[in-house]
Amino acid sequence: MKPLLTVEHLSKHYESRRGLVERLTGVPHTVVRAVNDVSLTVAKGEILGLIGESGCGKSTLGRAILRLNEPNAGKVVFDGTDVTALDPLALKNMRRRMQIIFQDPYASLNPRRTVAEIVGLPLKLHGLASGEEARAITARIVERVGLKANQLDRYPHQFSGGQRQRIGIARALVSNPEFIVCDEPVSALDVSIQAQIIALLLELKREMGLTYLFISHDISVIGYLADRVAVMYLGEIVEMGPVDDVLANPRHPYTQSLLSAVPEIEPHGRKPRVRLKGDLPSPLHPPSGCKFHTRCPLAIDICRTLAPVSENVGPGHQAACHRLAEGVSLMSETGA
Ligand code: SF4
């Protein structure tokens, strides 16, 4: 199937600011490689889950795809159009079709605007409707996400966290987009509310024919709703494939460690969790070779010097690890 979205070798790097001491001593700028050479596709109607620890670059990737953060290199093609080459006006028009639902339903809504103003803003920005027509469209989408039309003139602080996220969803959908970056849309919510929001997003996807890039640090959420999954570590995709295949047969040690933390979907029954050494390294000073080598129990000498390339390990399933051919698994090697 022809992809709706194609991301080719996308990178987003930041130059870290130098403090006074660094400037006086001539320490050079440090480049933070938040997203590094990422390629992926999303088919129309598909949910691609993007999983990884906090700080691995997932949200930066989602925002770079929409050019909310301008990428430094690479290309994003949406429905045949090179989004990365669009001028500001064409990009604004494209944004009607490509939207985002943010993680934090508290910070992402302007506290001084009413629900009608927040949700109706994309209609105004894209010249889709105004006046009574805009209010009627806004009321319909607000009701569709589970709020009441008589709440249109209320302010965000008058709603619960789950209700605010519904407002954020209504704002993303009011311009009738085709592709949504769902940036950890349930992680700031109570567990009891998470299931309701996930069910709503799945219903809306079916009704409106939407395509999602669904970002989460929770592999059980991704396992529940995604068609395919991409696993991200320190700005790079280390494994990607059909979600059932990746969960049943994870090939990258990092994916294996993530799965071992979720016994109910661990493929070979309940086993002790594989605890990785240390925290995610800083993208300011990423490890050489395989970026996972400082925490990988399977690391060998070559891992410290040479970055592995992505290989096919099954239909539509790729992973990047020097030890794929040996078939070693973190579970067996660690005795976990
Ligand atoms: Fe571990 Fe080496 Fe594979 Fe990286 S390449 S995941 S360090 S075994």
Side-chain angles (χ1 to χ4, degrees), residues 252-253 290 292-293 296 298-300 303 308 321-323:
H252 194 282
C290 173
F292 188 51
H293 85 252
C296 180
L298 302 183
I300 53 178
C303 305
C321 171
H322 288 303
R323 304 196 68 184

Side-chain angles (χ1 to χ4, degrees), residues 309-320:
V309 293
S310 195
E311 295 174 37
N312 285 326
V313 293
H317 185 172
Q318 298 91 32

